[in-house]
């Protein structure tokens, strides 16, 4: 195994490859700020970074690939550690038994700033793929898929995000891959310091092919204009160790699909936190464990049970 620590003077090293608009700021790597770029790690190489940002600028188009058994990218910074589609268009692929570990040195985090984003700013697009046996992603603190953040020079001292724009975030976990997270937010709606409130966030996650995703807490469509969809299929499992919050208000549209012998295992309950929220759950093949309950909380519940699925419901 080759061990590499990438600093500001780093360029291509054995097992680390880059082309186009790749820039280094200390131990932070940015892939695609103002143009197209590709960055990859393979062949069992271990790389340690503070942060990895892909598609950082509005005009940035970045692709990063981490592949092969034993290949490891450690993220240890005190600020946000991973951004896939910060302001531009981005794709991160973790495959072939490789690992991206964002939980290194948790004591380095500055409060709650060690966050992870797929589709951060309004106007961005992020696509994250974790595929293949042994392929692993580990995140901590907050993992946001579809943030729709907006900051402006006038109000916040810097520009980030396009007011009123959409953000599109997708993640696919497939073919016996594994993801571990703390807090997860699929589609957060307008955010940042200066959103107009008209921003739209779209977050779509698919867990398939006997894969698994374990987390402490899951929020879906946690803000207005937030559209989230989670599909668990083909013998896969999503485990939520605490609460699953579904829906914000009538402008948010969360959907959960569970089928083909898969499992959504929630330790406590599914809760709609705001009156007037809309939730759609399709349960197939006895996908829920018995201890899960649905709490209407004055919201609309669109629940379809197929294939002998069972769900307990309490007022």
């Amino acid at each position: 195994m080759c061990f590499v620590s990438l600093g500001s003077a780093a360029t291509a090293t054995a097992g680390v490859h880059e082309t186009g608009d790749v820039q280094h700021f200390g131990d932070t790597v940015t892939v695609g700020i103002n143009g197209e770029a590709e960055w990859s790690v393979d062949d069992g190489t271990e790389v340690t970074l503070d942060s990895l940002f892909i598609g950082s600028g509005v005009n940035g188009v970045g692709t990063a690939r981490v592949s092969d058994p034993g290949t490891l990218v450690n993220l240890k910074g005190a600020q946000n550690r991973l951004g896939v589609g910060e302001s531009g268009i981005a794709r991160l692929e973790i495959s072939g038994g490789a690992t991206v570990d964002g939980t290194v040195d948790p004591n380095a985090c500055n409060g709650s700033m060690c966050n992870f984003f797929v589709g951060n700013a309004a106007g961005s697009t992020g696509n994250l793929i974790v595929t293949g046996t042994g392929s692993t992603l580990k995140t901590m603190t907050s993992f946001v898929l579809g943030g729709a953040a907006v900051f402006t020079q006038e109000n916040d001292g810097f520009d980030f995000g396009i007011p009123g724009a959409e953000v599109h975030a997708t993640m696919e976990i497939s073919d016996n891959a594994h993801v571990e997270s703390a807090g997860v937010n699929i589609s957060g709606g307008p955010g940042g310091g200066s959103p107009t409130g008209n921003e739209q966030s779209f977050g779509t996650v698919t867990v398939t092919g006997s894969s698994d995703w374990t987390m402490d807490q899951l929020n879906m469509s946690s803000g207005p204009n937030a559209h989230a969809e989670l599909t668990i299929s083909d013998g896969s499992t999503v485990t939520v160790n605490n609460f699953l919050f579904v829906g914000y208000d009538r402008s948010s549209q969360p959907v959960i699909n569970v089928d083909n012998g898969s499992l959504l295992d929630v330790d406590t309950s599914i809760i709609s936190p705001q009156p007037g929220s809309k939730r759609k759950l399709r349960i197939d093949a006895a996908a829920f464990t018995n201890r899960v309950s649905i709490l209407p909380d004055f919201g609309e519940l669109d629940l379809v049970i197929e294939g002998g699925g069972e769900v307990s419901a309490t007022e």
Side-chain angles (χ1 to χ4, degrees):
M1 176 181 289
C2 176
F3 298 90
V4 182
S5 179
L6 296 181
S8 58
T11 56
T13 308
V16 181
H17 319 277
E18 56 187 56
T19 59
D21 181 27
V22 178
Q23 299 186 37
H24 299 260
F25 303 91
D27 282 333
T28 291
V29 171
T30 61
V31 184
I33 297 179
N34 298 307
E36 296 185 7
E38 294 189 7
W39 183 82
S40 63
V41 184
D42 57 24
D43 197 26
T45 302
E46 180 174 341
V47 171
T48 298
L49 305 174
D50 283 344
S51 305
L52 174 62
F53 298 125
I54 311 162
S56 298
V58 174
N59 298 316
V61 179
T63 300
R65 298 181 178 91
V66 183
S67 60
D68 297 334
T71 300
L72 173 62
V73 174
N74 295 306
L75 303 175
K76 63 175 181 60
Q79 301 294 322
N80 292 340
R81 295 187 172 188
L82 178 66
V84 182
E86 282 290 276
S87 294
I89 299 172
R91 179 183 180 93
L92 170 60
E93 301 174 7
I94 306 168
S95 65
T99 297
V100 173
D101 187 354
T103 66
V104 177
D105 192 10
N107 292 329
C109 295
N110 181 13
S112 61
M113 288 298 293
C114 291
N115 298 321
F116 300 76
F117 289 94
V118 178
N120 190 352
S124 67
T125 298
N127 184 12
L128 172 59
I129 295 174
V130 187
T131 184
T133 301
S135 299
T136 302
L137 170 67
K138 297 180 181 181
T139 69
M140 57 185 290
T141 58
S142 179
F143 182 20
V144 179
L145 297 105
V150 174
F151 296 86
T152 64
Q153 182 69 41
E154 179 180 3
N155 294 329
D156 309 295
F158 65 98
D159 290 321
F160 185 75
I162 301 172
E166 297 179 355
V167 58
H168 293 265
T170 61
M171 180 169 71
E172 180 178 308
I173 308 167
S174 64
D175 297 333
N176 296 290
H178 174 71
V179 177
E180 299 176 17
S181 303
V184 175
N185 189 348
I186 304 175
S187 192
S194 302
T196 66
N198 296 320
E199 292 80 13
Q200 302 254 353
S201 62
F202 297 84
T204 304
V205 177
T206 301
V207 186
T208 188
S210 300
S211 298
D212 68 278
W213 185 14
T214 301
M215 68 199 73
D216 292 336
Q217 180 173 299
L218 174 60
N219 289 269
M220 294 183 63
S221 299
S222 61
N225 304 323
H227 315 288
E229 183 166 2
L230 171 63
T231 298
I232 312 166
S233 66
D234 194 22
S236 296
T237 300
V238 171
T239 301
V240 183
N241 292 322
N242 291 298
F243 287 99
L244 166 58
F245 295 92
V246 184
Y248 178 79
D249 61 19
R250 289 185 178 273
S251 68
S252 64
Q253 300 176 18
V255 177
I256 299 176
N257 304 303
V258 187
D259 54 24
N260 294 341
S262 299
L263 175 67
L264 174 59
D265 185 355
V266 184
D267 185 66
T268 306
S269 56
I270 298 174
I271 297 178
S272 174
Q274 294 289 336
S277 65
K278 298 176 68 175
R279 297 164 293 159
K280 181 178 181 180
L281 308 178
R282 184 173 65 82
I283 312 304
D284 191 5
F288 275 71
T289 55
N290 290 331
R291 66 178 177 274
V292 174
S293 59
I294 308 294
L295 308 183
D297 289 349
F298 308 105
E300 290 186 19
L301 174 60
D302 183 359
L303 174 62
V304 178
I305 303 176
E306 298 177 345
E310 295 182 1
V311 177
S312 62
T314 60
E315 296 293 338

